[in-house]
Amino acid sequence: MEERRAQRLRDSAIGLVYFDTFEEVESWNVADLDPIQQANQPLLRRSAAEVCNTPDNDCPKTKLLLCHDYKGGYHHHESVRPAPMTRERYSCKYLQFVDTFIYFSHKLVCIPPPTWVNALHRNGVQVLGTFLIEPQTPHMDRLLMRKEGLFVLAKQLAAITDAYGFDGWLLNIEQDSPNPYGNWSNDLATFLSDLRGYLGMEKKVIWYDALTAGGDVYYQNGLTSSNCPFAEATNCLFTNYKWTEKKLAETSLFAKDIGFPTTNVFFGIDLWAQNTNMPSPRVTYPPEGGGGTNTGLVNIFKDQSDQPSRYSPLLGQGPGQTLRVGLQASLSSQSPEPNLLPTLAKTWDDINKVASIDIRGKQDSPDMTCGFSMTFFDLARQVYDQVPYMLHPRTLHQDTVVDLPIQQDNAMLVAIGIFVEGESDLSMPIALMEITRIVIRPKQAVTTDIGYGIANLHVKSCSHGTNVEKRIAWDWESVPQQHGKTWPEGMPWSRTTGPFSSFTVRIGDEIIGEAYCLEFPVRNEDLNVSGEMITISVAGHLFGGGLADSASITIARAILTT
């Protein structure tokens, strides 16, 4: 237990937050919040064509929910300052197709890391944490504990959601009710309804198909009278994976009978955790050989008119990795296939009005001739075009910006790539370049240069138990002579960093990282510069792509040593 608490403290110091016990959740206070643990990116809204708030027969696409469960979660590469990676880690490379992302780990309360939340919010994906009660979880009776008539845990979960900057919860209770013959199930439904109310209309609560209203864990693999009280309280259900097409049809009829929106039922597919070498491997759709790479391109949702919706899961791979998908059923004969092909991946309005792409970075192999390629889908001709842009050797120096002008009209930008020209020895891996930022600018750009800057740059000490680390910290400000100007309507604004999307932090001439809050941890390896005096600088990147003036200070090296 002591080692677990020590590990939780170490993880919290790198931006990874979770709770193992009810006591930890109950005692949490917003004053405990460390700025590096917060996501700063607001959830960007997709185009109207991507949002499904219409009746079933008008729904533009099937909804996709991704439940990420990677080797227990909370890995160092998900932290705010990950070490350089020597091999590829899982990352969702198809965010334009995902509507909801759930961060799952075997903790009581799983808070999504801010690195995930920021990346997903920039792509218009809602991010949910997980509240998980497993068979061995103690003190389940504390779930419905009240104080002054209010559910303590419901208030705490809502406050945690707001403080850390994500979008709601998956609730998965895999333990029988401690009081199946009382009002426990009714109270649980009230708890869920209250939690949803505390979160507000913009947030989401999803009930997982495990615990039934009868008080026992019995997977329904669909929407039934046994789980509908909890599904109705949250207005969203994520089913277990052992469903069949018969169960799908029954769910459709039952949902329509009780007035439950069929677009809010997600049918689970367990893609990797099949335990095929175990005596009793997990069963998932399709029943014969389901899961893993066997899921393939299969017809998994058919309505009464036998019109298929198809889903091809091209998800991560590797031992120890679990990836779970919930796909909202297309239960209407007029609901089209999900947008899971590049030709359909229009992720924001007027994407064909892009004027230029700014790529910021440096070339690691300056003597090699390489360049960028942009792939467009011509909407009129329905074909792909690839446009090269050559770089002269040594074009990209430290933090250099390359402007890629775009001339194509009525074309959708679908990919940006890197290529090497001529003969090169590629028998060994070669680091071609490091890219720190890509900014896609519309033809009619919105001006965000209205006088914001970096102020009060300083170094502070931060304690984590017995450990003390040094951090670079700063504030943002509105330049006095620019008062009276207003932030453009519709442009994102962060509750924690205001007009700034991120900040580039340098020591000397070297970039040591990107910050998404107003602090940045310093490591000993960051101090590999000569001299007893060190120059620190911070540059702010505004939402919309603008760059604010940087601020810098010169201090003694000893101030940064821990």
Side-chain angles (χ1 to χ4, degrees), residues 46 66 70 94 130-131 197 215 221 238 242 264 282 287 352 356 408 433 444 451 480 534:
R46 293 179 174 178
L66 177 63
Y70 183 77
Y94 41 89
T130 303
F131 182 87
N221 300 292
F238 185 179
K242 199 176 178 180
N264 288 2
R282 187 192 303 261
N352 61 321
S356 66
Q408 279 72 13
M433 63 181 65
Q444 296 186 358
I534 293 176

Side-chain angles (χ1 to χ4, degrees), residues 20 28 32 56 120 138 166 173 183 261 330 388 401 421 423 429 446 453 480 562:
D20 292 310
W28 175 86
D32 302 332
D56 289 353
L120 291 158
F166 57 103
I173 299 180
N183 292 323
S330 294
V401 177
E421 187 178 72
E423 295 183 4
V446 178
T562 56

Side-chain angles (χ1 to χ4, degrees), residues 286-321:
E288 298 298 328
T293 53
N294 293 327
T295 304
L297 180 62
V298 293
N299 294 344
I300 56 176
F301 293 121
K302 293 184 178 180
D303 60 19
Q304 297 174 355
S305 299
D306 203 39
Q307 297 294 322
S309 274
R310 296 183 177 89
Y311 170 54
S312 176
L314 302 173
L315 302 181
Q317 48 192 295
Q321 174 172 323

